[in-house]
Every structure is written in structure tokens, then in C-alpha cells.
């Protein structure tokens, strides 16, 4: 049913490939084992990352749909493959933060781990060439990257996602520090697209502060494959076979 023939490859990103599906309105997203950081400067193959992220993202996208957020995800069709709606990606990435970390800590000289009184939303222009510069809503509208109503919808959905994800990770003793979302246009509607995985999130074990996300790779803190397997077991209640 999923036929990932080379001639159907539409796009290859750093961690995923996008293939044409049988319907022109759909695509197949294939999750690779490749990990990159710092806009591709650091690269590695992480055993089973594709399988783990594919299943985690499918699981979270279904949760988000249940929480009332329209998504591009349709169904998982193979260990690394998802059938999704074909959207036009809006080139504005939304980062939601509950705790200071990463580029926010650097930019403002704040300590990592400082709790924020409410979720902070940040916008970045999606451009590998420019290294995803930060942009505000006014700039995004003025430059034609997104319409005001689209940004408003993205904002509202991002906060809903944050509430639902945070509650879930909380129940597993994990703090959702921050995460990045991408949205797309689908028949005149804004829908959540791309992925929800530990590649694009910061997850800290509450009891120990241990990092359970791609920072393990970015910062050379340990074995990312082991970390992702552990996350998988926590989420699904069984080890990846
Ligand atoms: P930052 O602190 O580096 O801005 O990252 C904030 C969150 O966004 C973090 O959870 C990692 C995620 N992220 C991506 O998914 N892709 C990226 O290219 C970057 C820079 C961050
Ligand atoms: N995803 C980006 C990269 O591949 C940045 C990051 O996650 O650190 O380089």
C-alpha cells in the first residue's frame, strides 16, 4: 500500500523524507535515523530513531486531534511511515516555552531552568539558509509568510497542544520545557503539521533533571538511541523490540 519508490520522492529533509501517495491530496512521511544539530553542522545516525519518532509523533498527533487541534496526520502505514494530508507548510515555526532553556537562555542571559509564569510563544522564519531567524508576528505578516488570522489560529492551537502535552508528560514524571511546532494550509484551513517528537522538544526528568531529548546529542550528554528507547518504553509501557 505504501510504495516509497525513488521516483515518488518529493522532498528530503534532515530527518524525514516526503513521498507522493496514491491520492494527490496526501503524502507519505518517512522517518530516517539521521540526527542533525546546529542546522546540519553536526550529524549522526541514531539506531531506531526513525521508528521511535514515527510512532511517538503518530501517538501525539492523535492526542492533539482528540484535544480539538486539526492535524495533517492520517495514519501510520509502516514502522517509519505515516500517511498525512498534503499541506502547504507555513514558513513560520512556533516555539512554545514553559521553562527557560536553549536559545532563549542564551539570547537573554537567563539561567536554564527558570520557570516562566505562563507559556511564552516565539516565532521563527523557517529558512535553513538563514538559520531560522526569530521574527515577530508583525514581521511575518508584512513579509507575507502568514496571514494574521493564520498566526492567531496557530497561536491558539499551540497553547492547546501545550496544555495537552504538558499534562501527558507530567503524568510520566517528565517536564515539558519547550517544543517547536509547524503548521500547514489545507483547503483554506490551518492544521498542525510536521512532527511532535523529542527531536523538537525539551523533556526533563522531574526527579533528576536528566535530559530525555535531542539535547543529549546536541550537547554530547550520552547515547541518544538509549535515551529515545527509554522514552519509548515510558510512553508505550513496553520496550521497543
Ligand atoms: P531553541 O532553544 O534552540 O530555540 O529551541 C527551542 C525548541 O525548539 C527546542 O525544543 C528544540 C526545538 N527546535 C527545533 O525543533 N528545531 C530547530 O531547528 C531548533 C533551533 C529548535
Ligand atoms: N534541527 C536543526 C538541525 O538539524 C537544529 C537543531 O535541532 O538543533 O540542525
Amino acid at each position: 500500500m505504501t510504495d516509497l519508490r525513488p521516483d515518488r520522492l518529493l522532498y528530503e529533509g534532515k530527518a524525514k523524507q516526503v513521498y507522493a501517495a496514491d491520492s494527490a491530496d496526501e503524502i507519505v512521511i518517512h522517518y530516517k535515523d539521521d540526527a542533525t544539530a546546529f542546522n546540519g553542522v553536526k550529524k549522526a545516525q541514531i539506531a531506531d530513531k526513525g521508528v521511535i519518532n514515527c510512532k511517538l509523533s503518530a501517538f501525539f498527533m492523535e492526542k492533539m486531534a482528540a484535544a480539538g487541534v486539526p492535524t495533517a496526520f492520517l495514519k501510520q502505514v509502516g514502522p517509519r511511515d505515516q500517511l498525512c494530508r498534503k499541506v502547504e507548510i507555513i514558513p513560520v515555526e512556533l516555539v512554545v516555552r514553559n521553562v527557560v532553556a536553549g536559545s532563549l537562555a542564551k539570547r537573554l542571559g537567563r539561567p536554564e531552568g527558570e520557570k516562566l509564569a505562563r507559556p511564552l510563544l516565539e516565532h521563527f522564519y523557517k529558512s535553513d539558509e538563514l538559520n531560522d531567524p526569530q521574527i515577530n508576528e508583525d514581521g511575518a505578516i508584512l513579509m507575507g509568510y502568514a496571514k494574521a488570522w493564520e498566526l492567531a489560529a496557530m497561536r491558539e492551537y499551540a497553547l492547546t497542544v501545550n496544555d495537552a502535552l504538558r499534562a501527558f508528560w507530567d503524568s510520566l514524571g517528565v517536564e515539558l520545557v519547550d517544543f517547536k511546532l509547524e503548521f500547514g494550509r489545507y483547503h483554506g484551513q490551518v492544521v498542525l503539521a510536521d512532527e511532535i517528537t523529542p527531536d523538537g522538544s525539551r523533556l526533563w526528568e522531574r526527579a533528576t533533571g536528566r535530559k530525555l531529548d535531542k539535547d543529549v546529542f546536541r550537547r554530547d550528554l550520552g547515547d541518544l538511541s538509549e535515551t529515545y528507547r527509554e522514552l519509548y518504553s515510558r510512553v508505550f509501557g513496553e520496550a521497543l523490540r
Side-chain angles (χ1 to χ4, degrees):
M1 101 135 270
T2 33
D3 191 2
L4 303 186
R5 293 198 318 259
D7 62 302
R8 287 192 164 202
L9 182 67
L10 298 175
Y11 170 80
E12 174 136 22
K14 289 181 287 238
K16 302 191 289 295
Q17 293 173 324
V18 178
Y19 289 87
D22 294 334
S23 156
D25 221 22
E26 296 171 355
I27 52 166
V28 176
I29 300 184
H30 178 80
Y31 284 70
K32 305 188 286 182
D33 283 344
D34 302 58
T36 68
F38 315 117
N39 200 16
V41 169
K42 183 169 176 174
K43 289 185 203 158
Q45 291 279 310
I46 307 295
D48 298 319
K49 180 168 91 81
V51 172
I52 294 169
N53 276 354
C54 183
K55 192 162 164 190
L56 281 173
S57 195
F59 174 78
F60 286 123
M61 287 296 178
E62 278 177 352
K63 253 191 195 310
M64 295 313 116
V69 177
T71 81
F73 175 80
L74 290 169
K75 61 177 171 176
Q76 185 157 354
V77 292
R80 296 166 177 277
D81 305 316
Q82 298 176 354
L83 188 67
C84 293
R85 298 184 171 93
K86 184 175 187 173
V87 305
E88 178 193 354
I89 289 288
I90 297 171
V92 178
E93 301 185 353
L94 223 55
V95 168
V96 183
R97 302 183 186 270
N98 299 303
V99 177
V100 173
S103 73
L104 175 64
K106 249 199 197 119
R107 207 182 315 134
L108 300 183
R110 312 281 296 206
E112 284 205 313
E114 181 183 349
K115 301 244 190 296
L116 297 166
R118 59 178 174 78
L120 173 63
L121 284 171
E122 293 181 336
H123 303 72
F124 295 85
Y125 172 45
K126 184 176 163 67
S127 163
D128 280 343
E129 205 172 80
L130 301 175
N131 210 0
D132 296 353
Q134 198 178 10
I135 189 168
N136 66 14
E137 288 191 79
D138 204 29
I141 294 164
L142 206 54
M143 303 298 159
Y145 302 148
K147 305 275 188 221
W149 73 267
E150 292 174 326
L151 292 169
M154 287 163 61
R155 210 181 158 85
E156 184 191 325
Y157 292 149
L159 292 174
T160 303
V161 169
N162 188 45
D163 287 344
L165 276 186
R166 223 175 156 179
F168 175 78
W169 284 117
D170 225 38
S171 75
L172 297 183
V174 173
E175 176 158 47
L176 178 64
V177 170
D178 58 33
F179 58 95
K180 183 262 295 177
L181 296 177
E182 294 187 23
F183 293 86
R185 303 181 176 105
Y186 185 76
H187 295 291
Q189 263 210 312
V190 170
V191 304
L192 179 59
D194 192 45
E195 64 179 57
I196 298 179
T197 66
D199 272 16
S201 316
R202 285 197 174 92
L203 301 162
W204 294 354
E205 188 172 54
R206 258 189 207 287
T208 64
R210 193 160 62 97
K211 294 179 183 15
L212 302 174
D213 55 63
K214 204 171 89 176
D215 271 347
V216 168
F217 170 70
R218 293 193 191 93
R219 304 181 184 188
D220 294 318
L221 301 175
D223 182 335
L224 190 68
S225 183
E226 274 309 308
T227 304
Y228 277 20
R229 282 173 162 275
E230 188 186 326
L231 263 190
Y232 180 102
S233 305
R234 285 201 197 189
V235 170
F236 298 115
E238 60 179 25
L240 176 70
R241 280 163 285 119

